[in-house]
Amino acid sequence: MEIAYWNKEIETIDRDSLKHLQLKYLKETIGYALRTSLYKKRLQKAGITSPDDIKSLDDLKRIPFTTKDDLRESYPRGLLAVDIGDVIRIHTSSGTTGTPTVIYHTQQDLNNWTELLARCIIATGATRNDVFQNMMSYGLFTGGLGLHYGAEAVGMMVIPAGGGNTRRQIKLMKDFRTSVIHITPSYALHIASKLEEFGVSLNELALRKAYLGAEPYSENTRRKIEDLLRIDVYNSYGLSEMNGPGVSFECVYKCGMHTWEDNYILEVIDPKSGENLDDGEEGELVFTTLRRQATPLLRYRSRDLAYILPGDCECKRTHRRLSRITGRTDDMLIINGVNVFPSQIEEVIMQFPEVGHNYQIYIDKQENLDKLIVKVEIYSKLFTGDLAELEALKRRIKDELRASIVINPTVELHEPGSLPVFEGKAQRVVDKRPAL
Ligand code: AMP
Ligand code: ZN
């Protein structure tokens, strides 16, 4: 098979040269990190006061991990390493409107990010002649704009459709002969199930590839989507703290996601001890940015579990490959690609004096999409009152939740004592979604 590259030299660089490059970039990154209030303190404590204190890649281990809480506590500017005048865009993590994690970008940061996506796209065998329909949400969430710029750099015709509105998505795909889509696995299944209803057959479409990410899914789901839509599906992994998409992406061989190690140092650690694990061993992914100016992050704990696939890839890229994400080390839920923490939901509903102390977060599938139902117990006297008042209360809770978690839940009001009670640790989340 003829393999195409966006940047062959760097994508197939030998491992020794890659490590050399990583060391050079790590020193630069330390230089930027020392300009932030958070890292200045932390690095000094670890005896690092200048980039020259980093002599080898092993010195990375002297640096403590960075967590999502660090990012939240540094909000809004504690991790900004450049003059605010040099920042040209910000992004935040999906979901929360509480204190999000914010990532600043300089022009150079965005250029690097765009290059990574261009590499990913070319690695899947797509070309400038493809028509790319981006069905991820645009905005602060990184899924939309991230791929968008990469696809434009490749020279594809880009349809910035954003998420939702299935009828319009299908019409766009048909009318503009979309050949590559970027979409969540659940939305891909939903679209596949709606084609007939909207009177469109696969033969009328020109689809050939899909990039699927933002939420976990299995090999079986990949095959199911490939069969239903008669396309090739490539796994795409990223997190907003590491720019977003473009961290790890599958090549034409579809056997694990190459992680761009000239831009990120990837470590896999035992989440309990923090010790580094070997290739092939499953643990928590930890990333250090190597090319980021505005928001350098050192040893950022992703909370995602996966392992590095040992061995070489037939495509000759030397950047190591990641397995599927196999789980999380925290209780974060991913609902239609949007991150939600149960604690955020609790925070909102407990603001309402009408709400008792028990509630349940119930998640199921409806037409292949995730459906969130928040069941709350309210005081019994409210049930004897006016029905319109109950409806109004339901609406207020729903509106508050939507404003906070950015997804639209169904709210159910229940009599006291009707939801399951727990003597030990409450199990408030009931996830009925079949494993994807
Ligand atoms: P965000 O920071 O909002 O972009 O969300 C990033 C999170 O989405 C990651 O930490 C993962 O938990 C999840 N995620 C992204 N891509 C994938 C993927 N391909 N497979 C499984 N989970 C993913
Ligand atoms: Zn490969």
Side-chain angles (χ1 to χ4, degrees):
M1 196 189 312
E2 178 78 35
I3 304 289
Y5 303 93
W6 178 256
N7 185 342
K8 186 170 184 190
E9 194 183 335
I10 199 78
E11 291 176 50
T12 59
I13 188 173
D14 68 275
R15 296 285 308 174
D16 281 341
S17 309
L18 177 60
K19 284 185 180 149
H20 245 83
L21 209 56
Q22 284 188 323
L23 179 60
K24 175 177 157 224
Y25 292 149
L26 178 60
K27 290 171 112 171
E28 283 175 20
T29 301
I30 295 291
Y32 281 104
L34 283 166
R35 296 183 200 166
T36 70
S37 50
L38 179 98
Y39 283 128
K40 192 170 176 201
K41 259 190 261 152
R42 280 216 183 147
L43 289 170
Q44 264 172 359
K45 239 185 173 165
I48 300 165
T49 53
S50 111
D52 291 333
D53 291 327
I54 301 290
K55 306 273 189 250
S56 80
L57 285 176
D58 272 345
D59 284 330
L60 186 66
K61 303 213 175 66
R62 292 164 55 194
I63 303 171
F65 296 115
T66 306
T67 64
K68 213 179 183 74
D69 281 342
D70 289 327
L71 265 74
R72 293 213 174 103
E73 281 158 24
S74 311
Y75 184 85
R77 284 201 188 173
L79 273 162
L80 178 62
V82 298
D83 205 22
I84 191 77
D86 291 328
V87 172
I88 64 165
R89 196 198 298 165
I90 66 162
H91 276 288
T92 63
S93 51
S94 69
T96 164
T97 53
T99 304
T101 59
V102 51
I103 302 297
Y104 297 89
H105 295 282
T106 63
Q107 182 65 61
Q108 184 63 41
D109 290 337
L110 291 183
N111 293 349
N112 279 330
W113 186 18
T114 297
E115 142 118 27
L116 297 188
L117 266 320
R119 287 186 204 170
C120 298
I121 290 167
I122 296 294
T124 66
T127 72
R128 66 187 303 278
N129 297 323
D130 277 295
V131 174
F132 178 68
Q133 189 164 328
N134 195 359
M135 303 192 198
M136 292 283 192
S137 328
Y138 280 69
L140 285 168
F141 174 58
T142 56
L145 286 170
L147 250 289
H148 181 100
Y149 280 83
E152 282 189 356
V154 165
M156 296 162 127
M157 179 171 106
V158 178
I159 307 174
N165 200 340
T166 307
R167 182 187 294 273
R168 190 181 65 175
Q169 299 281 10
I170 293 173
K171 182 171 166 52
L172 288 168
M173 288 202 288
K174 182 172 162 226
D175 294 350
F176 295 99
R177 311 228 22 96
T178 299
S179 53
V180 180
I181 55 177
H182 178 213
I183 187 167
T184 61
S186 35
Y187 198 42
L189 284 167
H190 183 75
I191 293 234
S193 73
K194 288 284 174 187
L195 286 175
E196 208 183 280
E197 185 182 324
F198 294 132
V200 174
S201 82
L202 276 185
N203 295 334
E204 295 172 87
L205 300 180
L207 265 193
R208 51 186 213 110
K209 291 175 195 296
Y211 305 151
L212 261 56
E215 61 190 21
Y217 61 110
S218 65
E219 257 330 288
N220 284 339
T221 300
R222 181 216 299 262
R223 270 192 293 274
K224 191 167 169 191
I225 295 170
E226 289 190 326
D227 288 347
L228 284 171
L229 292 173
R230 281 190 246 130
I231 55 171
D232 282 301
V233 163
Y234 302 86
N235 198 5
S236 155
Y237 168 75
L239 55 164
S240 52
E241 293 81 2
M242 292 296 127
N243 291 349
V247 176
S248 311
F249 221 89
E250 282 184 327
C251 70
V252 280
Y253 291 102
K254 299 194 280 192
C255 53
M257 302 177 282
H258 289 284
T259 300
W260 300 118
E261 292 181 89
D262 60 320
N263 273 257
Y264 304 99
I265 293 181
L266 167 61
E267 297 173 85
V268 181
I269 62 160
D270 175 334
K272 290 211 175 79
S273 69
E275 291 298 315
N276 280 80
L277 298 175
D278 290 332
D279 289 5
E281 292 185 309
E282 185 182 287
E284 182 179 339
L285 305 178
V286 171
F287 294 96
T288 298
T289 62
L290 288 177
R291 305 299 312 275
R292 235 171 36 195
Q293 301 175 324
T295 316
L297 287 183
L298 307 174
R299 306 192 82 199
Y300 179 71
R301 291 187 67 153
S302 68
R303 301 279 175 197
D304 289 319
L305 295 168
Y307 55 94
I308 292 173
L309 296 164
D312 300 325
C313 186
E314 278 185 75
C315 75
K316 301 213 160 46
R317 288 181 182 81
T318 48
H319 301 246
R320 286 176 303 169
R321 289 162 300 149
L322 263 189
S323 70
R324 282 187 183 284
I325 304 301
T326 54
R328 300 264 313 165
T329 65
D330 61 10
D331 60 353
M332 185 179 92
L333 302 163
I334 304 185
I335 298 175
N336 294 322
V338 177
N339 304 349
V340 180
F341 287 94
S343 55
Q344 289 174 262
I345 295 179
E346 170 167 328
E347 212 172 279
V348 171
I349 57 181
M350 288 302 162
Q351 287 168 7
F352 287 85
E354 297 90 339
V355 170
H357 23 252
N358 208 0
Y359 67 94
Q360 192 181 59
I361 297 166
Y362 187 93
I363 314 155
D364 208 347
K365 282 271 178 204
Q366 216 172 55
E367 296 193 311
N368 293 301
L369 295 178
D370 298 336
K371 178 106 191 96
L372 169 67
I373 304 169
V374 180
K375 304 179 178 189
V376 291
E377 284 185 7
I378 56 167
Y379 293 111
S380 50
K381 62 173 189 292
L382 293 168
F383 281 102
T384 52
D386 189 352
L387 211 64
E389 254 174 55
L390 278 183
E391 279 307 311
L393 173 62
K394 203 155 67 171
R395 173 136 301 279
R396 277 192 290 132
I397 298 177
K398 188 180 160 84
D399 288 348
E400 279 297 310
L401 278 170
R402 195 181 38 208
S404 168
I405 60 179
V406 199
I407 49 182
N408 206 359
T410 296
V411 172
E412 287 179 6
L413 303 181
H414 290 259
E415 299 253 15
S418 58
L419 294 175
V421 263
F422 299 92
E423 287 181 358
K425 191 173 152 44
Q427 286 223 313
R428 304 229 186 256
V429 178
V430 177
D431 198 338
K432 290 282 186 198
R433 292 177 287 187
L436 262 180

